[in-house]
Amino acid sequence: GEDVEQSLFLSVREGDSSVINCTYTDSSSTYLYWYKQEPGAGLQLLTYIFSNMDMKQDQRLTVLLNKKDKHLSLRIADTQTGDSAIYFCAESPDGSGNTGKLIFGQGTTLQVKP
Amino acid sequence: DAGVTQSPTHLIKTRGQHVTLRCSPISGHKSVSWYQQVLGQGPQFIFQYYEKEERGRGNFPDRFSARQFPNYSSELNVNALLLGDSALYLCASSPSPTGISGNTIYFGEGSWLTVV
């Protein structure tokens, strides 16, 4: 079946690195996404990775994909207070490639302490 | 360029009533998807429409329906509202219905529905 799991909460100090982890079940997923949601707002696409890649870097963000273990992580370097938000991991299962369906995790709340 | 726009942003309805939520996709995007996000959870897929046809449906009752118009905007309708329908309803648009070629899915700010 399709399932995405995330840890619920992460607290870091400003300037430290944050690592948010995610596991998924559908090995045929073609794309995996990270979205950010600030309080009372919609979802902001942060980055995505294609399933044939191991790593993708975009400024302060690094995405690592371990396809064998079905594990995805998002590393935020030099975490700032403005990074405080809920982060969602999502997969685009290959079987639903014609539906545009994303399967989301329950979200990880990142708290950044000054 | 305007992003995905949704209306209304907030609304309150009574149990048993009907609600219509609206979404305008990013210009040039032909695929629209709807998601329900209950407080404290991740979004759940409801529908996806492409070229005015339903291309996917999540595990939601028949009280939920949607349609897409020739200009690619979309409506989500929910009949016989229940308290449990209280949620943030998100609309997402993408150029095509698949994740091929790295096209990505962009979300609107959502419509907050409270059922009392």
Side-chain angles (χ1 to χ4, degrees), chain A residues 53-77:
Chain A
M53 297 169 66
D54 297 324
M55 185 182 84
K56 181 178 180 180
Q57 188 152 3
D58 184 1
Q59 298 182 332
R60 291 191 299 125
L61 305 179
T62 303
V63 178
L64 294 177
L65 174 61
N66 181 329
K67 201 171 177 184
K68 173 176 170 289
D69 294 337
K70 298 177 195 167
H71 183 267
L72 183 74
S73 68
L74 174 70
R75 179 177 179 269
I76 306 173

Side-chain angles (χ1 to χ4, degrees), chain A residues 11-15 81 84 111-114:
Chain A
S11 180
V12 300
R13 292 247 173 237
E14 190 174 19
T81 54
S84 293
Q111 179 190 66
V112 183
K113 298 179 181 176

Side-chain angles (χ1 to χ4, degrees), chain A residues 30-31 33 35 37 40-45 48 50 88 92 96-107, chain B residues 33 35 37 40-43 45 48 55-56 88 90 97-109 112:
Chain A
T30 49
Y31 285 94
Y33 300 82
Y35 282 87
Q37 187 175 40
L43 297 174
Q44 175 193 351
L45 175 67
Y48 65 92
F50 188 50
F88 291 95
S92 178
S96 67
N98 286 327
T99 69
K101 172 184 178 181
L102 293 184
I103 308 298
F104 285 87
Q106 65 269 53
Chain B
S33 298
Y35 291 79
Q37 186 179 17
Q41 297 182 18
F45 173 75
Q48 196 255 353
R55 297 294 295 270
L88 176 66
L90 294 162
T98 71
I100 293 174
S101 301
N103 78 51
T104 51
I105 304 169
Y106 293 91
F107 284 79
E109 293 291 305
W112 287 94

